[in-house]
Amino acid sequence: MTWSEMQPLLAQACQETLVMVGWSTLIAVVVGLPIGVLLVLTDRGGLLQNTPVNKTLGQIVNIARSMPFIILMVALMSFTRWVTGTTIGSEAAVVPLAIGGIPFFARLVETAVREVDGGLVEAVQAMGGNTWTIVRKVLVPEALPSLIASTTTTVIALIGYSAMAGTVGGGGLGDLAVRYGYQRFESGLMWITVAVLAVAISVIQFAGDYAARTLHRRGGRSGPGPKLRLLKAKEPAAADVSKVA
């Protein structure tokens, strides 16, 4: 197979992979972020301590994470058909990719949020901040560098999942490698596909690391606590309360 014949195949496969990974990452972040934060809030000693909720949610996340992706795809075929009307193609692959990415990202979010300095949370509580204020102005902003790194890790994992989805008709670079590189013995195209995946992962990892380092230098956990100044208007009221006491 000549390079001119490979180009349109590679372009289409890259586009399908981009669609699969892009949409599944967006869904994983939007759904996984609140789940990860809720796991921290409902844990023992958390702001919304609730052991039954925490244990139940944790078990659901653990079960979803422990399931191999290829089995997850097969198990979700009926659900995928109900959502997209088909089980073949990049659009259909988004469903299992997103469901597989949500618990993965949620655990990473949980780890990142747990690393936030508890003193900042106590300070905001002393100023009269409620749970939503603490989440919005302390936990998420202070954990942002780690959240960026977690998103990068999730994107890379989903690229690997998307390649696996190609083996069962999901489209993308994995499908191209299997159909042409393996079944038709086009080893040149297969190695080019591997190189494209390697370059894409390297670029994403570099961009994610750079963004995380930049945010960490500008503030993050090691910063002077700029988020607390957002609540300074409540300080006089807190002072008045202490005087009455």
Side-chain angles (χ1 to χ4, degrees), residues 40-130:
V40 177
L41 295 178
T42 58
D43 200 5
R44 183 180 302 175
L47 298 173
L48 301 175
Q49 180 175 332
N50 190 318
T51 302
V53 171
N54 183 268
K55 295 297 183 183
T56 302
L57 189 59
Q59 284 299 321
I60 293 173
V61 171
N62 289 338
I63 292 172
R65 282 190 62 197
S66 64
M67 188 174 297
F69 181 71
I70 191 69
I71 297 177
L72 181 66
M73 285 193 65
V74 175
L76 291 174
M77 278 187 174
S78 298
F79 179 71
T80 301
R81 184 181 291 107
W82 178 73
V83 173
T84 64
T86 181
T87 57
I88 299 175
S90 56
E91 293 182 359
V94 170
V95 176
L97 282 171
I99 294 177
I102 288 170
F104 183 85
F105 184 70
R107 280 301 185 191
L108 295 177
V109 171
E110 180 189 10
T111 301
V113 173
R114 286 190 189 280
E115 294 176 357
V116 175
D117 186 1
L120 295 176
V121 176
E122 294 174 359
V124 176
Q125 284 180 307
M127 294 177 188
N130 56 25

Side-chain angles (χ1 to χ4, degrees), residues 32-235:
L33 179 61
I35 291 176
V37 173
L38 189 61
L39 284 169
V40 177
L41 295 178
T42 58
D43 200 5
R44 183 180 302 175
L47 298 173
L48 301 175
Q49 180 175 332
N50 190 318
T51 302
V53 171
N54 183 268
K55 295 297 183 183
T56 302
L57 189 59
Q59 284 299 321
I60 293 173
V61 171
N62 289 338
I63 292 172
R65 282 190 62 197
S66 64
M67 188 174 297
F69 181 71
I70 191 69
I71 297 177
L72 181 66
M73 285 193 65
V74 175
L76 291 174
M77 278 187 174
S78 298
F79 179 71
T80 301
R81 184 181 291 107
W82 178 73
V83 173
T84 64
T86 181
T87 57
I88 299 175
S90 56
E91 293 182 359
V94 170
V95 176
L97 282 171
I99 294 177
I102 288 170
F104 183 85
F105 184 70
R107 280 301 185 191
L108 295 177
V109 171
E110 180 189 10
T111 301
V113 173
R114 286 190 189 280
E115 294 176 357
V116 175
D117 186 1
L120 295 176
V121 176
E122 294 174 359
V124 176
Q125 284 180 307
M127 294 177 188
N130 56 25
T131 301
W132 171 243
T133 300
I134 292 172
V135 171
R136 185 167 56 93
K137 295 187 176 181
V138 178
L139 294 181
V140 173
E142 289 296 312
L144 192 55
S146 293
L147 292 177
I148 294 296
S150 299
T151 303
T152 304
T153 303
T154 302
V155 171
I156 293 173
L158 289 175
I159 290 175
Y161 290 168
S162 71
M164 195 181 304
T167 63
V168 290
L173 292 170
D175 177 61
L176 183 66
V178 170
R179 284 194 296 117
Y180 288 87
Y182 176 71
Q183 295 178 350
R184 301 187 185 183
F185 303 101
E186 294 286 350
S187 57
L189 180 58
M190 183 179 67
W191 286 113
I192 291 175
T193 303
V194 172
V196 170
L197 287 170
V199 170
I201 290 173
S202 298
V203 170
I204 292 170
Q205 186 68 63
F206 174 80
D209 290 345
Y210 178 79
R213 286 195 302 267
T214 301
L215 288 171
H216 191 74
R217 286 196 298 267
R218 290 181 179 178
R221 296 188 193 90
S222 60
K227 310 301 180 297
L228 297 182
R229 291 199 292 271
L230 297 174
L231 300 173
K232 64 181 180 180
K234 294 187 178 181
E235 290 180 2

Side-chain angles (χ1 to χ4, degrees), residues 14-27:
C14 288
Q15 182 179 359
E16 291 173 348
T17 298
L18 182 62
V19 169
M20 288 189 291
V21 175
W23 280 108
S24 58
T25 299
L26 179 62
I27 297 171

